[in-house]
Amino acid sequence: AEREVEMLPMTGLKSDGTLENPPKQPCCGATNMIMCGFGCATCCCLRNFICRNMVFAPPSPPFYFFKDGDMYRIPLEIYDGGEEFKNEQFEKMDSKTTEMSIMKITTARSKEIAAVFIKHKAATATILFSHGNAADIGIMSYHFELMAENLKVNVFGYDYTGYGESSDLGKPSPADVFEDAEAAYRYVTTDLKIATEQIIFYGQSLGSGPSIYLAKKYPVLGVVIHSGLMSAVRVINPHVTRTPWYDIFPNVDNIKHAKSPVWVIHGEADEIIPVYHGIRLYKAAPVTIKPWFVPGGDHNDIELEFQSEYFLRL
């Protein structure tokens, strides 16, 4: 694995993994109050309520719906225009180059999650995609199609509990997210009968949490972490040196036990989850592929503004 990263000085990381030009230390009182409050809320069984309002942002209304075995999704021109939309405007998902199927999967917590499988006839690998906090498989299905067509792979995407056609719309929880990922993995390996050595875990933004969780447990072909976070608490305070017990996504700790090669993609201009999150995840992974820290890349535009290079590198 390549361990040398020429651009590390540009991205502000010393050789020992500490920040060369760390972000300004936040107000200790305010930061400690937030973290202490979250710890207390966890003890008081309010964790899911806090996370539902601070971490997750399921689209409301969803960008798709299932009907008679088909998926209907928001047209891109309406989504890109930021217009209000109604279900009557949705279009049936149909592809001439790939096969598409939808399903609902029951998790170990007795919830149902919605999923879509896009199959390419020449595929030799399958991407198991965990999306970000403000997306769902409806809007992501356009990207899934591009991945399948450009990379000649299958793509399996799923929604977390609380998202889209999954159970408990508008009520996601940390405990459900990990069981959702487990259920998706079981379906891909058991029902679709795809060999583990042909699977790639792909986690974007919040999806880095469930993807790294799976990577810690199962050896697969590889892992892609796209605009991932070190941990939920470190998004609030990057100066945290030890992950607190109540952190819902301890990614920087879990990735140390990844059983497969990890490839990190992160925009250097990302203001939502700054690039040092990606650097730390890269340095913590035991086996890596040379990362791609994208000059000028933001949190949500790498696959759009740098599309040709994105698919070439992927």
Side-chain angles (χ1 to χ4, degrees):
E2 296 188 61
R3 303 298 301 183
E4 191 69 29
V5 189
E6 296 88 344
M7 64 286 289
L8 284 185
M10 293 170 54
T11 49
L13 198 74
K14 298 178 183 178
S15 59
D16 63 358
T18 59
L19 299 178
E20 190 171 58
N21 296 302
K24 185 178 180 181
Q25 180 75 36
C27 172
C28 293
T31 303
N32 290 339
M33 186 180 297
I34 292 172
M35 294 176 63
C36 182
F38 193 82
C40 292
T42 301
C43 293
C44 297
C45 303
L46 295 174
R47 185 188 199 199
N48 287 344
F49 175 81
I50 299 293
C51 290
R52 192 175 302 146
N53 289 278
M54 292 183 64
V55 179
F56 300 102
S60 180
F63 294 127
Y64 75 102
F65 62 87
F66 289 168
K67 182 180 179 181
D68 300 329
D70 292 307
M71 174 154 70
Y72 292 79
R73 59 188 178 178
I74 183 175
L76 275 181
E77 57 269 21
I78 296 177
Y79 175 80
D80 291 339
E83 305 170 27
E84 291 188 11
F85 57 89
K86 300 177 181 178
N87 282 3
E88 305 89 77
Q89 297 172 288
F90 284 25
E91 298 175 345
K92 180 180 173 181
M93 181 178 175
D94 192 20
S95 174
K96 296 179 181 179
T97 57
T98 58
E99 296 178 28
M100 187 274 294
S101 56
I102 58 173
M103 63 286 298
K104 288 194 175 182
I105 306 165
T106 302
T107 74
R109 289 170 60 84
S110 301
K111 305 291 179 66
E112 278 195 332
I113 58 170
V116 59
F117 181 52
I118 298 175
K119 185 176 181 180
H120 193 286
K121 61 182 180 181
T124 56
T126 297
I127 292 174
L128 199 171
F129 199 108
S130 300
H131 62 67
N133 72 327
D136 61 27
I137 59 172
I139 197 61
M140 292 304 301
S141 63
Y142 293 100
H143 182 53
F144 295 164
E145 287 180 300
L146 286 175
M147 294 182 93
E149 292 166 6
N150 283 275
L151 303 172
K152 294 182 173 56
V153 296
N154 303 323
V155 183
F156 186 91
Y158 67 100
D159 264 344
Y160 313 120
T161 298
Y163 282 69
E165 286 275 346
S166 298
S167 300
D168 299 345
L169 181 61
K171 297 180 179 180
S173 74
D176 278 318
V177 165
F178 296 118
E179 287 301 336
D180 298 341
E182 284 274 12
Y185 176 75
R186 283 196 301 271
Y187 189 89
V188 168
T189 54
T190 304
D191 293 72
L192 297 179
K193 300 187 183 334
I194 295 173
T196 56
E197 59 268 23
Q198 296 179 336
I199 295 173
I200 299 168
F201 296 143
Y202 192 121
Q204 184 168 10
S205 190
L206 178 143
S208 59
S211 290
I212 292 173
Y213 168 82
L214 291 176
K216 179 181 176 181
K217 299 184 67 175
Y218 305 110
V220 290
L221 177 60
V223 182
V224 179
I225 301 302
H226 180 160
S227 303
L229 53 146
M230 289 188 281
S231 75
V233 164
R234 288 179 177 86
V235 175
I236 301 171
N237 182 6
H239 299 272
V240 171
T241 56
R242 179 178 295 180
T243 306
W245 59 271
Y246 52 80
D247 198 319
I248 60 173
F249 293 125
N251 294 346
V252 75
D253 300 315
N254 286 343
I255 204 169
K256 295 176 182 177
H257 308 286
K259 298 181 182 295
S260 311
V262 175
W263 185 46
V264 172
I265 310 171
H266 215 113
E268 291 186 359
D270 192 331
E271 295 183 350
I272 297 175
I273 301 175
V275 67
Y276 50 77
H277 284 261
I279 299 170
R280 292 290 267 276
L281 290 172
Y282 161 73
K283 290 185 74 71
V287 180
T288 59
I289 297 166
K290 186 176 179 178
W292 183 30
F293 299 127
V294 188
D298 207 338
H299 190 65
N300 292 311
D301 71 351
I302 294 174
E303 67 274 35
L304 302 173
E305 299 299 324
F306 306 86
Q307 191 173 95
S308 296
E309 187 174 3
Y310 166 79
F311 282 124
L312 182 64
R313 288 175 177 265
L314 191 57

